[in-house]
Structures are given as structure tokens and as C-alpha cells.
Amino acid sequence: INRETLSKTTEINNSKLFVLGTDTLIRGKNSGIIFEKPADKADAIQMLKKISREEIEIVTGHALDIYHDDKKIEENWLSISTAHFSIPDHLLESYLAHTPAALFACGACVIENLGMIFLKEFNGSLSGALGIDMYELVSKLESHGFKL
């Protein structure tokens, strides 16, 4: 964002502006394996078999930039949750057929919707595990004068 665009946006909205970027990864808690997005369906099946055997950490990094009065304030934080996501081998094909988003998710692991039935345990911020820790985001925005 350049200053001219920021200035015009601030004048139009007469308010503060924020930009948020996030990214999530999944790591095997015991193995240390970082599960990226699967290359294809066969890769997804192999990842899910490994994930089903151990507890995972779901780590979402947040980068929040707040612009106001020609100032930029940066807030960065991690949201770390743990989960046991276990899909029996005989249900892997069905899970992938009914959860096409799994082929675009780290570890092919989609814990919402159908994925909820395979979520044996979960500890942490659910919204953080899904991509944005909403509680922390709202708290940080409020601390900088944003109103809900």
C-alpha cells in the first residue's frame, strides 16, 4: 500500500485501515513432519494415514498491519492448537470424495463440516485452526480503537 492510496482510503472512510495476512501449517507433534498441501489424491491419502496415527499441531501465523495518521503499527502472533484427527483407512476415499477442499489444505486435513466426525480431540482456538484467530484479532483491533 503506497501513501497516496492510503491517504485517499483514509480520507474516504475517515477511519483507520487494517490489513491482515494469515497462513496455517500442520505439524506432527511426535514426528515433527510438516504437512504441506497434497500434490494429488494419492498424496492426500498418505498424509491422512500418517496424521491419523499421531496428535497434530495446527499453527496459524497472523500479520496485522494497522494504518492511521501516516503511521503503521505491526502486530504479529501465532495461534497454536492441538488435535487428533483420525480417519479409518476404509473411509479415506469417501472423506476425500465429499471434502474436495482437502486437496487444497495442509495435510489434506479439513476439520470443519464432514471432517468434524473424525476430530477425536481438539485443544485451542478453533477459529485459529480454521485460519484466523478471531478472538485475538478482535482483541487487538479493539486495543487500537476499532469498534465492533
Side-chain angles (χ1 to χ4, degrees):
I1 296 175
N2 64 40
R3 286 186 180 269
E4 183 179 337
T5 302
L6 181 60
S7 176
K8 287 178 183 176
T9 303
T10 304
E11 286 174 24
I12 291 168
N13 294 318
N14 195 21
S15 63
K16 295 178 184 177
L17 172 73
F18 73 89
V19 177
L20 176 68
T22 67
D23 201 8
T24 301
L25 67 82
I26 293 177
R27 184 179 79 86
K29 196 165 180 185
N30 295 325
S31 67
I33 296 171
I34 294 177
F35 294 94
E36 298 180 7
K37 294 175 183 168
D40 53 29
K41 185 177 172 183
D43 193 27
I45 289 171
Q46 291 307 309
M47 286 181 181
L48 289 166
K49 285 182 177 184
K50 290 177 184 175
I51 285 171
S52 291
R53 291 193 291 262
E54 71 174 309
E55 187 175 30
I56 57 173
E57 289 182 326
I58 305 166
V59 182
T60 300
H62 301 73
L64 175 65
D65 292 343
I66 298 170
Y67 299 90
H68 185 61
D69 294 333
D70 291 330
K71 294 180 191 172
K72 176 182 173 185
I73 301 166
E74 295 179 4
E75 294 268 2
N76 301 296
W77 74 98
L78 294 175
S79 171
I80 303 173
S81 302
T82 58
H84 189 174
F85 188 77
S86 183
I87 302 176
D89 287 354
H90 70 280
L91 294 176
L92 287 169
E93 293 278 346
S94 179
Y95 164 78
L96 290 172
H98 292 91
T99 313
L103 294 177
F104 305 99
C106 295
C109 191
V110 177
I111 63 173
E112 63 264 46
N113 302 321
L114 179 63
M116 283 286 195
I117 66 174
F118 305 113
L119 189 59
K120 186 176 178 182
E121 293 178 34
F122 183 85
N123 185 24
S125 167
L126 180 59
S127 66
L130 296 176
I132 299 175
D133 188 332
M134 295 302 292
Y135 179 83
E136 286 296 322
L137 175 60
V138 169
S139 296
K140 289 180 185 308
L141 289 174
E142 286 184 333
S143 74
H144 291 285
F146 286 87
K147 305 268 190 250
L148 291 183

